[in-house]
Amino acid sequence: MSQFIDDDREMPRFRVNRKAMVDPDVFAKERDEIFDQVWLYLGHETELKKPNDFKTRNVAGRPMIFGRDAKGAIQVWLNSCPHRGAMICREPAGNARFMTCFYHGWSFSSSGQLVAVPGDTSYGPEFERPGLATPARVDSYAGFVFISFNPDVEPLVDYLAGATDFIDLIADQSEQGMQIVDGTHEYSVKANWKLLVENSVDGYHAVSTHQRYFEMVMASGVELDGAKMGQSVALDLGNGHTVIAGGPDTGGIFGRPLSEAGTAEKKARFDAFRDKYGDAWVDRMSGSRNMVIFPNLVIIDLVMGVVVRKIDPVSPDYMEVTAWELVPPEEGAELKRQRLDNFLTFWGPGGLASPDDVEALETCQRSFASHRELPWSDVSRGMAGEQHPSGSEELQMRTWWRRWNEFMTGEVLPPEEHLAPAAMYTAPRPSLPAQQPTA
Ligand code: FES
Ligand code: FE
């Protein structure tokens, strides 16, 4: 048993020590041993529509600039002036061929070169003109741009392992390429960041935490099919990535856009998908999915749309969250309206789901003040029995925690053995061109 994880296969029992959620030394070590080592989500290429567009955001505590140069190529910079450190860009977003540091006025092009230094005759002839600094690695998969501060990190596609399959299931939902809608949700939670990671793939909490939501849905006349809703599996995707995957058309329960149930437009899109991809892959597409890409990227394709959520640790008991909506641009206005409405009213910081979750996580964090008296949280659900764990069990969290523990302690805990899930959850993508890196 490590100081953090009690993974006892005989019992069977899996417990997480709450010290992991409160200890500043653990927090500092996570920065060094996890966030400085792995691939981290920066943003989606479609957030930058034109040459010289840029966004600023933090990754692993570092202010970053995510932009396109004058030719439209993706560029990623550390938002720190190589002169004496002022942040070169203090705007959240914009379009600029040049950025001028407000401290002493050094100017940089959108491809990162230093192009003007006020009073530069007072520097010697050998003065090296430093450009903007980049993270060690930048790569993308199907439009999702990742960076790493570790020059020796494995290739992104290897790192993503089985998660590529589930990114493909989302990317394939548009002929034109899925696009991020302008605008974000930004909110903070007074809780450790790992609690939201757990919550994002926690099917167990839905009915009790979100009771009001289900009551509201039923009051609106929608018949919730309990058998279909329970039809989901938890999968270990490798490298700490994990997913709850719904069976065919589980996504359609709420009348969501990606469902054959409903309007002619939805049916027409499905017919086209079936012609292109075949039934097995399209049946998977029509299911729901809640995925965590280790350590802190969440992609949820559930209810009325696809939410991309980046979780940023700020201190042991505080996190910041940014969320975006990913849509197929070719969809009609009414489906777009429904997706955006749901993004706001369900997933938004004042919506039907997120405040319930935030309340749950913040009470966990407050209670962790007694972590010495009550040190262990139980995450064992679904360890017993021969069947494949369902989405309401806790294999997802154990998968993620084992990877976390490996980075933090060096201790390798083998994956759990379960029966393979039914083929409908794992049918391979037909042999079409793979999703390409596009950065
Ligand atoms: Fe940027 Fe001096 S710190 S120009
Ligand atoms: Fe929830």
PDB file of all heavy atoms in Angstrom, residues 199-200 202 205-206 209-210 309 346-347 353-354 356-358, ligand 2:
ATOM      1  N   ASN A 199     -15.332  13.406 -10.734  1.00  0.00           N
ATOM      2  CA  ASN A 199     -16.748  13.718 -10.956  1.00  0.00           C
ATOM      3  C   ASN A 199     -17.118  13.670 -12.441  1.00  0.00           C
ATOM      4  O   ASN A 199     -18.247  13.314 -12.805  1.00  0.00           O
ATOM      5  CB  ASN A 199     -17.044  15.102 -10.366  1.00  0.00           C
ATOM      6  CG  ASN A 199     -18.430  15.601 -10.691  1.00  0.00           C
ATOM      7  OD1 ASN A 199     -18.621  16.307 -11.675  1.00  0.00           O
ATOM      8  ND2 ASN A 199     -19.407  15.218  -9.891  1.00  0.00           N
ATOM      9  N   SER A 200     -16.161  14.019 -13.308  1.00  0.00           N
ATOM     10  CA  SER A 200     -16.448  14.104 -14.743  1.00  0.00           C
ATOM     11  C   SER A 200     -16.694  12.732 -15.365  1.00  0.00           C
ATOM     12  O   SER A 200     -17.251  12.640 -16.457  1.00  0.00           O
ATOM     13  CB  SER A 200     -15.290  14.801 -15.475  1.00  0.00           C
ATOM     14  OG  SER A 200     -15.118  16.119 -14.990  1.00  0.00           O
ATOM     15  N   ASP A 202     -18.031  10.123 -13.351  1.00  0.00           N
ATOM     16  CA  ASP A 202     -18.709   9.446 -12.248  1.00  0.00           C
ATOM     17  C   ASP A 202     -20.179   9.271 -12.598  1.00  0.00           C
ATOM     18  O   ASP A 202     -20.978  10.195 -12.457  1.00  0.00           O
ATOM     19  CB  ASP A 202     -18.542  10.293 -10.972  1.00  0.00           C
ATOM     20  CG  ASP A 202     -19.206   9.664  -9.764  1.00  0.00           C
ATOM     21  OD1 ASP A 202     -19.818   8.588  -9.900  1.00  0.00           O
ATOM     22  OD2 ASP A 202     -19.109  10.255  -8.673  1.00  0.00           O
ATOM     23  N   HIS A 205     -22.998   9.195  -9.332  1.00  0.00           N
ATOM     24  CA  HIS A 205     -23.581  10.319  -8.604  1.00  0.00           C
ATOM     25  C   HIS A 205     -24.811  10.914  -9.296  1.00  0.00           C
ATOM     26  O   HIS A 205     -25.532  11.708  -8.697  1.00  0.00           O
ATOM     27  CB  HIS A 205     -22.535  11.434  -8.434  1.00  0.00           C
ATOM     28  CG  HIS A 205     -22.372  12.314  -9.649  1.00  0.00           C
ATOM     29  ND1 HIS A 205     -21.800  11.886 -10.821  1.00  0.00           N
ATOM     30  CD2 HIS A 205     -22.729  13.602  -9.884  1.00  0.00           C
ATOM     31  CE1 HIS A 205     -21.812  12.862 -11.705  1.00  0.00           C
ATOM     32  NE2 HIS A 205     -22.352  13.921 -11.172  1.00  0.00           N
ATOM     33  N   ALA A 206     -25.027  10.538 -10.568  1.00  0.00           N
ATOM     34  CA  ALA A 206     -25.958  11.322 -11.391  1.00  0.00           C
ATOM     35  C   ALA A 206     -27.353  11.411 -10.769  1.00  0.00           C
ATOM     36  O   ALA A 206     -27.901  12.504 -10.607  1.00  0.00           O
ATOM     37  CB  ALA A 206     -26.029  10.734 -12.798  1.00  0.00           C
ATOM     38  N   THR A 209     -27.196  13.294  -7.079  1.00  0.00           N
ATOM     39  CA  THR A 209     -26.760  14.697  -7.102  1.00  0.00           C
ATOM     40  C   THR A 209     -27.652  15.541  -8.004  1.00  0.00           C
ATOM     41  O   THR A 209     -27.950  16.693  -7.685  1.00  0.00           O
ATOM     42  CB  THR A 209     -25.304  14.803  -7.600  1.00  0.00           C
ATOM     43  OG1 THR A 209     -24.485  13.946  -6.819  1.00  0.00           O
ATOM     44  CG2 THR A 209     -24.787  16.234  -7.508  1.00  0.00           C
ATOM     45  N   HIS A 210     -28.056  14.977  -9.134  1.00  0.00           N
ATOM     46  CA  HIS A 210     -28.803  15.758 -10.136  1.00  0.00           C
ATOM     47  C   HIS A 210     -30.285  15.388 -10.153  1.00  0.00           C
ATOM     48  O   HIS A 210     -30.938  15.464 -11.199  1.00  0.00           O
ATOM     49  CB  HIS A 210     -28.176  15.558 -11.520  1.00  0.00           C
ATOM     50  CG  HIS A 210     -26.733  15.948 -11.573  1.00  0.00           C
ATOM     51  ND1 HIS A 210     -26.286  17.220 -11.279  1.00  0.00           N
ATOM     52  CD2 HIS A 210     -25.617  15.227 -11.842  1.00  0.00           C
ATOM     53  CE1 HIS A 210     -24.966  17.259 -11.378  1.00  0.00           C
ATOM     54  NE2 HIS A 210     -24.535  16.065 -11.710  1.00  0.00           N
ATOM     55  N   ARG A 309     -13.614  20.331 -21.472  1.00  0.00           N
ATOM     56  CA  ARG A 309     -13.419  20.973 -20.165  1.00  0.00           C
ATOM     57  C   ARG A 309     -11.953  20.816 -19.747  1.00  0.00           C
ATOM     58  O   ARG A 309     -11.427  19.702 -19.699  1.00  0.00           O
ATOM     59  CB  ARG A 309     -14.336  20.290 -19.154  1.00  0.00           C
ATOM     60  CG  ARG A 309     -14.178  20.734 -17.733  1.00  0.00           C
ATOM     61  CD  ARG A 309     -14.986  19.848 -16.789  1.00  0.00           C
ATOM     62  NE  ARG A 309     -16.416  20.065 -16.842  1.00  0.00           N
ATOM     63  CZ  ARG A 309     -17.325  19.228 -16.295  1.00  0.00           C
ATOM     64  NH1 ARG A 309     -16.936  18.135 -15.694  1.00  0.00           N
ATOM     65  NH2 ARG A 309     -18.615  19.492 -16.366  1.00  0.00           N
ATOM     66  N   PHE A 346     -27.458  23.660 -18.855  1.00  0.00           N
ATOM     67  CA  PHE A 346     -27.112  22.405 -18.174  1.00  0.00           C
ATOM     68  C   PHE A 346     -25.681  22.455 -17.651  1.00  0.00           C
ATOM     69  O   PHE A 346     -25.408  22.244 -16.478  1.00  0.00           O
ATOM     70  CB  PHE A 346     -27.296  21.215 -19.126  1.00  0.00           C
ATOM     71  CG  PHE A 346     -27.083  19.880 -18.461  1.00  0.00           C
ATOM     72  CD1 PHE A 346     -28.061  19.338 -17.637  1.00  0.00           C
ATOM     73  CD2 PHE A 346     -25.921  19.151 -18.665  1.00  0.00           C
ATOM     74  CE1 PHE A 346     -27.870  18.106 -17.013  1.00  0.00           C
ATOM     75  CE2 PHE A 346     -25.713  17.923 -18.045  1.00  0.00           C
ATOM     76  CZ  PHE A 346     -26.697  17.403 -17.219  1.00  0.00           C
ATOM     77  N   TRP A 347     -24.734  22.771 -18.565  1.00  0.00           N
ATOM     78  CA  TRP A 347     -23.316  22.697 -18.205  1.00  0.00           C
ATOM     79  C   TRP A 347     -22.766  23.989 -17.622  1.00  0.00           C
ATOM     80  O   TRP A 347     -21.683  23.996 -17.043  1.00  0.00           O
ATOM     81  CB  TRP A 347     -22.457  22.348 -19.440  1.00  0.00           C
ATOM     82  CG  TRP A 347     -22.777  21.017 -20.032  1.00  0.00           C
ATOM     83  CD1 TRP A 347     -23.415  20.776 -21.219  1.00  0.00           C
ATOM     84  CD2 TRP A 347     -22.486  19.735 -19.473  1.00  0.00           C
ATOM     85  NE1 TRP A 347     -23.538  19.430 -21.429  1.00  0.00           N
ATOM     86  CE2 TRP A 347     -22.966  18.767 -20.375  1.00  0.00           C
ATOM     87  CE3 TRP A 347     -21.852  19.308 -18.295  1.00  0.00           C
ATOM     88  CZ2 TRP A 347     -22.841  17.396 -20.134  1.00  0.00           C
ATOM     89  CZ3 TRP A 347     -21.730  17.950 -18.067  1.00  0.00           C
ATOM     90  CH2 TRP A 347     -22.226  17.013 -18.979  1.00  0.00           C
ATOM     91  N   ALA A 353     -26.619  21.370 -13.980  1.00  0.00           N
ATOM     92  CA  ALA A 353     -25.712  20.301 -13.537  1.00  0.00           C
ATOM     93  C   ALA A 353     -24.533  20.840 -12.735  1.00  0.00           C
ATOM     94  O   ALA A 353     -24.273  20.372 -11.624  1.00  0.00           O
ATOM     95  CB  ALA A 353     -25.193  19.527 -14.749  1.00  0.00           C
ATOM     96  N   SER A 354     -23.813  21.821 -13.297  1.00  0.00           N
ATOM     97  CA  SER A 354     -22.532  22.203 -12.691  1.00  0.00           C
ATOM     98  C   SER A 354     -22.651  22.690 -11.253  1.00  0.00           C
ATOM     99  O   SER A 354     -21.841  22.300 -10.406  1.00  0.00           O
ATOM    100  CB  SER A 354     -21.822  23.241 -13.564  1.00  0.00           C
ATOM    101  OG  SER A 354     -21.517  22.650 -14.812  1.00  0.00           O
ATOM    102  N   ASP A 356     -24.668  21.803  -8.911  1.00  0.00           N
ATOM    103  CA  ASP A 356     -24.835  20.629  -8.037  1.00  0.00           C
ATOM    104  C   ASP A 356     -23.488  19.953  -7.800  1.00  0.00           C
ATOM    105  O   ASP A 356     -23.138  19.568  -6.682  1.00  0.00           O
ATOM    106  CB  ASP A 356     -25.769  19.602  -8.689  1.00  0.00           C
ATOM    107  CG  ASP A 356     -27.207  20.083  -8.796  1.00  0.00           C
ATOM    108  OD1 ASP A 356     -27.573  21.034  -8.080  1.00  0.00           O
ATOM    109  OD2 ASP A 356     -27.962  19.498  -9.604  1.00  0.00           O
ATOM    110  N   ASP A 357     -22.742  19.786  -8.895  1.00  0.00           N
ATOM    111  CA  ASP A 357     -21.436  19.124  -8.769  1.00  0.00           C
ATOM    112  C   ASP A 357     -20.479  19.966  -7.930  1.00  0.00           C
ATOM    113  O   ASP A 357     -19.760  19.440  -7.074  1.00  0.00           O
ATOM    114  CB  ASP A 357     -20.829  18.877 -10.162  1.00  0.00           C
ATOM    115  CG  ASP A 357     -21.594  17.811 -10.927  1.00  0.00           C
ATOM    116  OD1 ASP A 357     -21.987  16.808 -10.311  1.00  0.00           O
ATOM    117  OD2 ASP A 357     -21.796  17.998 -12.141  1.00  0.00           O
ATOM    118  N   VAL A 358     -20.466  21.271  -8.191  1.00  0.00           N
ATOM    119  CA  VAL A 358     -19.563  22.156  -7.448  1.00  0.00           C
ATOM    120  C   VAL A 358     -19.873  22.080  -5.955  1.00  0.00           C
ATOM    121  O   VAL A 358     -18.978  21.995  -5.109  1.00  0.00           O
ATOM    122  CB  VAL A 358     -19.665  23.608  -7.979  1.00  0.00           C
ATOM    123  CG1 VAL A 358     -18.970  24.587  -7.037  1.00  0.00           C
ATOM    124  CG2 VAL A 358     -19.069  23.698  -9.380  1.00  0.00           C
TER     125      VAL A 358
HETATM  126 FE    FE B   2     -22.571  15.780 -12.186  1.00  0.00          FE
END
